[in-house]
Amino acid sequence: MPDQPETIDGLQDAFSDRDYVADRALVTSVFLGLQLGCPLLLEGEAGVGKTELAKVLASTLDTRIIRLQCYEGLDEAKALYEWEYGKQMLNTQLVRDAVAKTVEGATALSDAVARVARHEAAFFDERFLVERPLLAALRADEPVVLLVDEVDRGDPELEAMLLEVLS
């Protein structure tokens, strides 16, 4: 974890150094969340500083911020990852000759399928995976600040999935 203030006062001073005014209760909540390694869930009216808190916290911790902007219709797959089908299909076309050589001599369809299946990684590989904010935050090499914004605009299924992931 990047260096973080060792006391609540230290965190409050770090926020003040970044021109962010926060009351003691908020700073204490953030500090405890950091110490316990727990997510911090904030709610409030627009414009009260929730997003700014995430930015200031990322700055204080000298880490990056990843933002998931929720909206109606955002589903789990779009929050986690997308699959680049076009790139996968192009790759398949490019290796078509190699696939033909692999199945050459197969006596039955099941034999041909089994031969191709041994090379499954050529077709289903991470190079076709596009990380979206949630997966990027989960797979980050170092801790990040994940800002999940406008949760109330997402569908109930997305909210349930977020609660499960954050637990």
Side-chain angles (χ1 to χ4, degrees):
M1 177 95 189
D3 288 336
Q4 61 186 33
E6 296 181 9
T7 65
I8 295 169
D9 290 331
L11 184 58
Q12 189 144 29
D13 291 343
F15 285 175
S16 293
D17 291 346
R18 289 163 178 80
D19 297 326
Y20 186 80
V21 178
D23 67 13
R24 183 79 172 182
L26 177 60
V27 176
T28 301
S29 296
V30 173
F31 181 80
L32 291 174
L34 290 170
Q35 293 297 309
L36 297 172
C38 295
L40 181 64
L41 305 176
L42 302 175
E43 66 177 352
E45 297 298 319
V48 297
K50 300 177 301 289
T51 299
E52 190 61 27
L53 173 62
K55 291 176 183 177
V56 168
L57 182 59
S59 173
T60 299
L61 300 176
D62 192 27
T63 191
R64 65 188 175 117
I65 186 169
I66 297 176
R67 182 178 188 162
L68 173 61
Q69 180 68 45
C70 297
Y71 54 87
E72 189 176 334
L74 176 68
D75 61 11
E76 295 87 352
K78 291 177 189 167
L80 285 164
Y81 68 89
E82 287 187 47
W83 193 257
E84 285 191 306
Y85 294 107
K87 186 176 179 182
Q88 183 185 33
M89 293 304 295
L90 179 61
N91 183 70
T92 301
Q93 291 300 314
L94 292 173
V95 299
R96 182 177 38 196
D97 293 338
V99 171
K101 288 180 184 176
T102 299
V103 298
E104 190 175 298
T107 56
L109 179 59
S110 59
D111 183 28
V113 169
R115 289 181 184 191
V116 172
R118 282 179 271 195
H119 304 283
E120 194 173 89
F123 302 100
F124 298 99
D125 188 77
E126 284 202 31
R127 67 179 176 256
F128 305 119
L129 186 71
V130 179
E131 287 183 351
R132 292 297 174 214
L134 209 50
L135 185 59
L138 293 171
R139 294 177 71 181
D141 291 334
E142 58 188 39
V144 299
V145 172
L146 173 63
L147 170 61
V148 182
D149 211 358
E150 306 287 346
V151 174
D152 58 323
R153 293 185 187 208
D155 297 329
E157 295 82 12
L158 175 68
E159 188 174 333
M161 186 269 306
L162 287 172
L163 289 173
E164 183 69 25
V165 168
L166 294 176
S167 71

